[in-house]
Structures are given as structure tokens and as C-alpha cells.
Amino acid sequence: MSQKLNTRKPDFSPYVKKFWKYFMYAFGGVFLFFLFASWGLFGPMPSFEELENPESNLATEIISSDGVVIGKFFNENRTPVNYEDLPKHLVNALVATEDERFYEHSGIDGKRTLSATLTLGSRGGASTLTQQLAKLLFHGEGSSFKLFRLVQKVKEWIIAIRLERQYTKNEIIAMYLNKVDFVNTAVGIRSAAKVYFAKEPKQLTVDESAMLVGMLKNPSLFNPLKREEKVRDRRNVVLKQMEKNGFLTTTQKENYQAKAIKLTFSPEKYNEGTATYFREYLRDFMKKWVEENKKEDGSDYNIYSDGLKIYTTIDSRMQLYAEEAMKEHLANLQEEFFAEQKNNETAPFVKINQTEIDKVMDRSMRTTERWRILSENGKDEEDIKKSFFIKTKMTVFTWKGDRDTVMTPYDSIRYYKHFLQPGIMSMEPQTGHVKAWVGGIDYRYFQYDHVGLGARQVGSTFKPFVYATAIQQLGMSPCDTILDGPFMIRKGKHNVTEDWEPRNSDRKYRGMMTLKKALANSVNTVSAKLIDKTGPDAVIALLRKLGVETEIPSQPSIALGAVDITVRDMVAAFSSFANQGIYIKPQVISRIEDKNGNVIFEPKLESKDVLSKDVSYAVIKLLEGVTESGSGDRLRTQGGGWKYNRVTGYPYMFTNPIAGKTGTSQNQSDGWFIGMVPNLATGVWVGNEDRSAHFKTLASGQGATMALPIWALFMKKCYADPTLNISKEAFEKPADLNIKVDCYSAPSYSRRETDSTATDSTGVKPEEQNTDEFGL
């Protein structure tokens, strides 16, 4: 008897139902997870506005009038570039290495995500470029805890999808390359190109682009300054990926892979590069500016992260020429200073006792960073002072390069006080635009700005203001004659507390002379007689109209330069003579733009009529006499002279009209020269940080030796650059001029001959002159 076979099929429906039930639960859970994440329940998500304007932390750029970036203010050294500014091979290298299907997905690469999930990431991550951008923009590296990391990954996906909807593929690439950190002060592709290759991104070669893309995997590991072989291997992987994706042929790949890594490492530091003193002046200016200028929503601008563009009046070429001229001359003159101080037991100080030296040094120690740090750490004054006498390793400044040495901090302070410092500013008289600003010899070691901060005694550069007041008030002309002879202002007159008898620097008198000759030779008695006629208050009133803000005592002695004024104020005041009597306040900014290119600030021109055209032109003719036959005539003459080997670049052989004035303060503590041509006024001051440190002799310490050569070297460089269009023409003569300016001068002696023996018109050698009075 046969058994009946059981043909009944198994019933899987309960399992199918359970599968779909759990699938729907899982799907719903994932859906809700993504939904809740998008709502921000697992932490804040970027809003629409934040996606439109993501947190950028962009460097503020300082841009010269000729379009050169001369510096930055930054937390991160990052300056954005547009996609159009990127070379195609850089984009190809990035896509081939980081996201091969970048142009095919919408923020998430499903294939790579599934592969990474199934292999638990053993074959690499699944992040697309858009996801990496989302991470960079909104939460950085994130948490290492797996659950939190999962939440962050989901948020990355959501943000990536939103970014893809908000931006084009090209914009995403540009945003990514603008954000990534390449280490060594380089954040973003533009900074990286500049720091590693001293180029703009568009100038990068294929192998350079591949190196930078290769760094993205791990910038610290693939740091070209530390691991060149690893970086080269990683670069070659990128090149291979480019070949694989059809961006390079095999031959091209092999040629690029054979190349060595060649860097032009140029890290950007705030205290190095060009215009360092100007940039620090600008930083202080911007700190005040942000207090007075707010964003539309009332919040403050941040000069370190808002990506502002500050367009300045500085010309990068003229700034470079000013810095070069300063270095050429002061490196040379400094040797003379060291030679003079060689046998001076109190070097670099002259004519002060040990008690006074101790006061100077104590004051200097208290202003150091060492003192500040030790004081903040709770050290008492006695212990702090002791630390200044312990020898330590340090790097010091020399004109032949930084030098490693061992010395006490006290000795290093005294060493630095030997160095001559400059203050140089150049501006256009007609616009007020400052074109060059040099506040010291090296900002890394000497932070004090001798242009905007350092008010110093101006010596005879003050005298033109006395002459201008006399011409304006008394109706005098450059051709009027006056007696150079003994003169005294009695006690009680012009606030004088004791009888005041000014004397010429050589203790000689010349008899009758024109005002033009008197100013050319810096005759003290003539300046004193003029201020006696006008009164010191009239001269001070003129200086106030010309923008000088420092305190000026109401004393006739100011006629000889017993006044402290900054280089900036002196150049602006002199510029008014070249601008037909109109004072224009110096301008250093032409406009400021936000990161989107919107103009948010334009300064207003501040000007005032101070002198008539006729009076101003008369002063110009007086100042031309200084460079034709006076204390500034070495601009034109040939031959040697006292300290010829230290008067750098001499002879200068200028033939065009130059209005200028030298100045030398008491004991040669300050040397000045302010010179002008019709469209450029430049002032130069040179001296030591401490007034008690100075040259012993007038031959080395006068303005014509210390300051004038820098002006001359600077102008020679400017004239050699035809793109600057610096004038060699005559100053504009007013129509219907009613002041006599063309004076007959009998050829009683040859200035060129006396200059060759370095005497003044009396035949007295500078080294023999008594300089106790203010003079040259």
C-alpha cells in the first residue's frame, strides 16, 4: 500500500510580514532619525542664511594703490579665490583624488557609501567633496565617539545635500579649496600657493597642484617642510589618479613624477615683509575704526576674520624703494657710529653720567617683554632685575644678518641702543596720499614707529615756518635783506624769563644778507630776528593750521627748532607749501570693502586754505635756495667732503628743482631732511632711540649726513622707475605773483668749492664748530 506524498508548500507569510514590519520600522526609524537631525534635535543645523553666508574666518587684506597685497590681518591666513582663478589641472587633481564621481552625485556618493558600510571603512571613507566641505564649514573633525560620530555623519549628509542645492559644483570646489588648511600659516589654496611656491593659484604647475592636493589627506603628515619623501610619494599617487581618470597621459604622468619637490617657502608673518611699521599703524587705526563703524545689524567688524579689503594709498614700489634706500645708507652710517663709540666707556651715551645711564636703562628694562612676563608671573622687582644680568642664548640684529650669540638681556638692550633709527614718510601734496612709510630698521627687533609716534626735535627744519609767517604778516620777500649780527631778546619779552642771545652754530656773523641766503645757510640770528618781529604765537598759530598737534612752547627759541614734531606732521606741513598753501591731512586709506566687494568706508578729504599762493611760492623759492647753495647743496655737487665715505651714494647730481631743508638738533641727536618736488614730498629723520646716544661730531651727525642721503637714494630709485611719473618740472608759479622771488646774488664764493672741503660759508670745518646752540 503506497503512502500519499505531502505536497503542501511551507507558509512563509508570517516571516515576510515580520520582515516588512521590521523593515518599515527600520526605514521609519532612519527616516525619523534624518528628519530629527535636519530639525536640529541632535544639535544645531545651519540655517538657510548660514548656508548662504557660511562662517568664513577670512583674512583681511591690505592692498597698495598699485594693487599689491602688502600684508594681512588674520586668525587664519586665508584669502578666498573664485573658481575662475583656479587652474584646470588643480581641479582635475582634486576630483581625481578625493571624489571621482563628484560631477555625478548630488552630495552623497551612494556607491562609495555602500562600499564603505559593507567593509566597515577598511577600503577608505565615503565622504564626497561636498561632505568634506560641510564638515569644514560647520563642525570640523567632530567627535571620536562612534554614536556621536554617526549623528555627525548624518548631519554631514543633510548639509551636503543642501549645499548641492544651494551652490554650483564649481562654487563648491572653490569653497572647499578656500577652506582647507595646508599648515605652516597657509589656510586656503591662495595662501598655500603663496607660502609654498610664492605664486598665485593660476600660476601653479601640474606637479605643484598635485603636491598640494596630496597634502589634503593629512596636512601634518604630508608636510613638505618635514617629510619631503612622503610628500613626493603622495604627490605621485595624485598624478597616478589623474592618469587613471584621463586627465594625464602615461608619459605626462611619468615626467611629472620624476620631478623633485621644489619649494619657495615664504611664510607670512605680521612682523616681516614690506611696510611692517605702516601695517601696525593701520592695525591701530582699524581698532578705532571698528568702534565707530558697525555692520548693518549693529555688530562689530572683525579685522581678523571678516575678510575685509583695505585699499591703501601706499605704493608698493615706492615703499620698497624707501626701505632699500634706508638700508643702503644706515647700514653704512652705522659702521661710523660704532667706530666713534669704540673708545667711549659710556657707549652709546655721550655726556651723561652713570646715574643718568642707570635711569635710562632701568626705564628700558621695564618696557621689555621679559619684564612684563616675569611681573605677571609674580616675580618681585629685585628678582626681575637680577634676571637681566644672567647670560643667555639669543639671536640679535646686525646689518649683516641675524646673529646667534650669548649675552645678558641688559647688554642686549644697551647693544640695541647703538642703532640709528629712521622715520621716513612720502606723500603727494595735492591729494594727501601717503605713498611710503618706514618707521624703523626692522620691526622684529624695534617696534617703535618713528613716523607716526616718534615726535623728535626738528632743528632748522622748523625755520621755514618762521619765514612763512614773516612773509605773510610783514610783507617780506625772499630777496629782502637783513643783518646777521649780535642780537638779544630781553627778559620779559615773548615770555622770555632770562635775556636770550641766539648765536650761529659757528659763532660767526655774515653781515647783510637776503632771507633766501639766510635760510640756505640756516643762520640762527636771522630766524630769531624774524620771530621777534612776528611773535612766537603767530608762528604757533600757523603750525596749528598746518596740522601740527604736538605741544609748542610760546618762546622765541622755537625759531631755532627747539620743538618736538612727528615726521608725519612735518611732511604734511611742508606739503602745504608745494600745494599752493592748501593743507591736506595725510590719507592712508582710499576705501574699505567687505568680503563681498561692497564699499563700506571711504574717507573724507580734510583740507584747509592756510597760506596764499604767493606766500607759498615764496617759501618754495626759499627752500630751493637750500639745495642750490645751502646746507642741502650736496644733492647737486660733485666731489668728496667730510665723512664722504659715509654719505652713501654721494654725489647725487640732481639737476631738477628741489625745495628742501636740512635740520640738526642740539648735540646731533636728530638729523632731518625734508625735500619736495612738485608732486611728491618726503621727510626723513634719523637718530638713536635715546637722545643721549648720538654722534660726537657734526660732520657725521648733521642732517645732511644722516638723513639727506636716504632722501637722495629714494628719489634716484623713484626717478629710475618711469611708471611712477615723479616730476622733474619746476614748481607752478602763481599768475600775477606780487612777491619778489628772483634775487641777484653776487658770486662772492663757490659753494661747490667749500663743499669739497666740508666747510660752511665762513670756512669753518664742521668738526670744529660748537653745536651747543640749535643750528643746521
Side-chain angles (χ1 to χ4, degrees):
M1 181 175 169
S2 63
Q3 291 182 339
K4 189 176 181 181
L5 293 174
N6 186 4
T7 58
R8 190 176 172 186
K9 294 181 179 180
D11 185 6
F12 292 108
S13 58
Y15 301 106
V16 173
K17 288 179 180 179
K18 283 184 179 181
F19 169 80
W20 285 109
K21 176 182 177 181
Y22 291 127
F23 176 81
M24 293 304 295
Y25 283 157
F27 180 80
V30 171
F31 176 78
L32 289 173
F33 186 76
F34 273 80
L35 185 64
F36 292 158
S38 67
W39 287 350
L41 295 182
F42 302 135
M45 290 286 286
S47 64
F48 177 80
E49 290 75 16
E50 289 172 318
L51 286 172
E52 280 282 333
N53 298 285
E55 180 72 27
S56 54
N57 202 23
L58 299 175
T60 287
E61 290 186 306
I62 305 166
I63 303 170
S64 68
S65 61
D66 54 321
V68 176
V69 177
I70 58 175
K72 298 177 183 178
F73 301 136
F74 57 84
N75 293 321
E76 293 179 353
N77 181 17
R78 183 156 53 86
T79 304
V81 295
N82 296 320
Y83 180 83
E84 293 74 23
D85 298 320
L86 302 172
K88 185 62 178 174
H89 50 257
L90 173 65
V91 175
N92 291 341
L94 178 66
V95 171
T97 308
E98 296 293 324
D99 191 352
E100 291 175 308
R101 281 179 290 279
F102 173 71
Y103 293 104
E104 299 168 17
H105 62 68
S106 299
I108 301 173
D109 187 337
K111 183 177 179 181
R112 288 179 65 194
T113 301
L114 180 61
S115 174
T117 302
L118 294 176
T119 61
L120 300 178
S122 61
R123 294 183 183 175
S127 290
T128 63
L129 278 174
T130 316
Q131 287 174 259
Q132 292 180 48
L133 175 61
K135 180 169 65 175
L136 288 170
L137 288 176
F138 298 108
H139 66 73
E141 285 303 314
S143 173
S144 58
F145 184 54
K146 289 186 177 180
L147 181 60
F148 290 168
R149 187 71 193 97
L150 177 62
V151 172
Q152 288 169 343
K153 199 68 180 175
V154 169
K155 290 168 69 176
E156 279 178 28
W157 290 344
I158 296 169
I159 295 169
I161 293 171
R162 291 180 178 179
L163 287 172
E164 289 275 351
R165 292 175 180 173
Q166 198 72 28
Y167 298 100
T168 66
K169 291 287 188 179
N170 290 351
E171 289 172 332
I172 288 171
I173 284 178
M175 290 172 69
Y176 176 78
L177 286 173
N178 282 329
K179 185 66 179 175
V180 287
D181 188 348
F182 291 88
V183 301
N184 296 315
T185 77
V187 182
I189 189 62
R190 188 177 186 197
S191 290
K194 290 209 169 211
V195 167
Y196 292 113
F197 301 109
K199 295 180 176 181
E200 288 292 334
K202 267 192 173 180
Q203 300 169 315
L204 292 171
T205 61
V206 172
D207 55 305
E208 291 168 346
S209 297
M211 189 206 86
L212 293 176
V213 169
M215 290 178 65
L216 297 176
K217 183 176 183 180
N218 187 332
S220 296
L221 177 63
F222 298 106
N223 185 336
L225 300 183
K226 295 180 179 180
R227 301 176 183 88
E228 185 176 334
E229 278 305 310
K230 273 186 174 293
V231 171
R232 187 180 179 197
D233 292 342
R234 178 61 186 164
R235 178 203 66 181
N236 290 348
V237 169
V238 174
L239 292 169
K240 186 176 181 180
Q241 283 295 112
M242 293 179 74
E243 178 204 23
K244 173 187 171 186
N245 285 271
F247 297 129
L248 293 177
T249 64
T250 301
T251 302
Q252 288 174 324
K253 178 204 72 173
E254 291 173 351
N255 287 338
Y256 288 125
Q257 285 182 334
K259 289 190 173 184
I261 299 285
K262 290 185 179 180
L263 301 178
T264 306
F265 186 58
S266 310
E268 296 192 55
K269 298 180 180 178
Y270 80 93
N271 61 354
E272 294 180 1
T274 190
T276 47
Y277 291 89
F278 171 73
R279 280 152 39 196
E280 286 308 303
Y281 169 81
L282 190 61
R283 188 195 303 272
D284 287 338
F285 175 91
M286 290 301 296
K287 287 178 181 178
K288 298 172 185 175
W289 181 87
V290 297
E291 294 176 1
E292 300 169 0
N293 298 268
K294 306 290 184 181
K295 295 181 181 178
E296 290 184 357
D297 61 4
S299 61
D300 291 337
Y301 285 101
N302 188 324
I303 65 171
Y304 301 103
S305 61
D306 279 344
L308 304 179
K309 293 187 185 299
I310 306 173
Y311 290 88
T312 71
T313 61
I314 295 292
D315 186 291
S316 68
R317 297 159 296 181
M318 295 174 73
Q319 178 68 33
L320 178 63
Y321 299 153
E323 291 177 4
E324 288 177 345
M326 176 271 293
K327 291 174 183 176
E328 287 175 28
H329 179 57
L330 289 190
N332 185 20
L333 190 63
Q334 189 65 52
E335 292 183 20
E336 182 70 17
F337 189 85
F338 279 124
E340 268 203 11
Q341 298 294 329
K342 190 173 183 180
N343 298 317
N344 178 13
E345 293 181 358
T346 61
F349 309 110
V350 180
K351 295 181 180 178
I352 63 173
N353 57 40
Q354 190 59 47
T355 300
E356 292 171 313
I357 292 173
D358 290 341
K359 288 181 180 179
V360 171
M361 294 300 295
D362 183 73
R363 185 170 61 247
S364 298
M365 286 190 293
R366 291 174 185 274
T367 61
T368 62
E369 188 72 2
R370 169 184 288 271
W371 189 287
R372 183 189 68 78
I373 293 172
L374 292 176
S375 180
E376 288 179 354
N377 290 336
K379 298 286 186 181
D380 59 35
E381 284 195 8
E382 186 176 346
D383 288 338
I384 294 175
K385 286 183 179 180
K386 286 180 180 177
S387 74
F388 278 86
F389 294 90
I390 299 173
K391 287 191 175 184
T392 183
K393 291 181 180 180
M394 63 179 69
T395 303
V396 297
F397 171 84
T398 79
W399 275 114
K400 296 180 180 179
D402 294 351
R403 196 181 97 190
D404 293 330
T405 187
V406 176
M407 68 170 69
T408 68
Y410 179 92
D411 287 339
S412 72
I413 293 173
R414 196 149 176 170
Y415 166 72
Y416 283 135
K417 288 188 180 296
H418 283 74
F419 282 91
L420 296 163
Q421 296 292 334
I424 308 166
M425 193 183 95
S426 190
M427 69 175 274
E428 294 175 346
Q430 293 76 25
T431 64
H433 289 178
V434 176
K435 310 309 291 182
W437 181 304
V438 183
I441 55 177
D442 191 321
Y443 190 82
R444 295 174 303 154
Y445 296 95
F446 309 94
Q447 280 82 45
Y448 193 76
D449 179 11
H450 292 283
V451 172
L453 296 176
R456 293 294 291 248
Q457 204 166 87
V458 296
S460 291
T461 53
F462 190 88
K463 290 175 180 176
F465 306 121
V466 178
Y467 281 66
T469 305
I471 293 171
Q472 183 182 43
Q473 289 200 351
L474 307 177
M476 301 183 76
S477 84
C479 302
D480 286 348
T481 56
I482 194 167
L483 178 65
D484 171 23
F487 175 70
M488 180 179 290
I489 296 179
R490 296 295 181 182
K491 176 181 177 180
K493 189 177 183 182
H494 301 316
N495 305 312
V496 172
T497 57
E498 297 290 340
D499 290 350
W500 180 60
E501 185 178 7
R503 298 178 182 178
N504 295 324
S505 59
D506 57 7
R507 306 293 173 135
K508 306 278 185 173
Y509 300 105
R510 298 165 177 78
M512 294 299 294
M513 59 172 49
T514 63
L515 292 188
K516 186 172 184 179
K517 185 176 179 180
L519 184 64
N521 291 281
S522 280
V523 179
N524 287 341
T525 57
V526 172
S527 297
K529 287 184 176 183
L530 292 177
I531 203 168
D532 179 46
K533 293 175 182 293
T534 65
D537 289 341
V539 178
I540 294 171
L542 174 62
L543 266 293
R544 291 285 176 256
K545 291 179 182 178
L546 293 175
V548 176
E549 299 176 351
T550 50
E551 185 67 28
I552 303 176
S554 181
Q555 295 282 336
S557 60
I558 64 175
L560 308 188
V563 179
D564 287 356
I565 304 176
T566 64
V567 172
R568 179 183 57 188
D569 285 354
M570 285 296 285
V571 173
F574 264 67
S575 292
S576 302
F577 301 134
N579 194 32
Q580 300 186 325
I582 300 173
Y583 167 79
I584 297 181
K585 185 176 181 179
Q587 298 281 350
V588 297
I589 294 176
S590 57
R591 71 182 186 279
I592 300 176
E593 294 179 358
D594 65 16
K595 65 180 181 181
N596 298 316
N598 301 311
V599 177
I600 57 177
F601 174 75
E602 287 184 293
K604 295 179 181 178
L605 183 69
E606 297 183 40
S607 66
K608 64 180 82 167
D609 290 341
V610 179
L611 297 168
S612 69
K613 292 182 180 180
D614 287 5
V615 172
S616 300
Y617 186 71
V619 176
I620 287 293
K621 299 306 287 185
L622 285 170
L623 294 172
E624 284 183 353
V626 174
T627 67
E628 292 166 355
S629 62
S631 57
D633 74 338
R634 67 179 66 189
L635 288 172
R636 306 187 182 283
T637 55
Q638 300 183 58
W642 292 94
K643 303 299 178 183
Y644 167 77
N645 59 322
R646 296 301 176 212
V647 185
T648 318
Y650 177 76
Y652 307 108
M653 296 298 294
F654 289 104
T655 58
N656 56 291
I658 297 170
K661 187 70 189 81
T662 58
T664 308
S665 69
Q666 193 172 26
N667 295 328
Q668 301 84 241
S669 295
D670 307 273
W672 290 79
F673 183 73
I674 301 176
M676 298 182 291
V677 295
N679 63 350
L680 192 67
T682 304
V684 181
W685 165 88
V686 173
N688 293 75
E689 177 186 297
D690 286 278
R691 299 180 197 225
S692 53
H694 54 78
F695 277 110
K696 297 177 183 178
T697 62
L698 185 61
S700 297
Q702 62 181 307
T705 305
M706 289 208 292
L708 180 145
I710 295 177
W711 187 93
L713 291 169
F714 169 65
M715 290 300 293
K716 286 176 77 172
K717 293 172 186 291
C718 288
Y719 280 135
D721 186 342
T723 63
L724 294 176
N725 297 314
I726 304 302
S727 175
K728 288 188 176 182
E729 303 302 316
F731 289 87
E732 183 180 352
K733 184 177 181 179
D736 303 320
L737 177 67
N738 59 16
I739 298 177
K740 185 179 179 181
V741 295
D742 296 319
C743 316
Y744 170 76
S745 178
S748 58
Y749 67 93
S750 169
R751 181 70 191 180
R752 180 171 299 181
E753 290 175 4
T754 57
D755 184 75
S756 67
T757 57
T759 65
D760 71 353
S761 59
T762 64
V764 179
K765 295 179 180 179
E767 289 179 306
E768 296 173 356
Q769 293 179 4
N770 186 312
T771 61
D772 289 341
E773 299 292 327
F774 302 101
L776 298 177

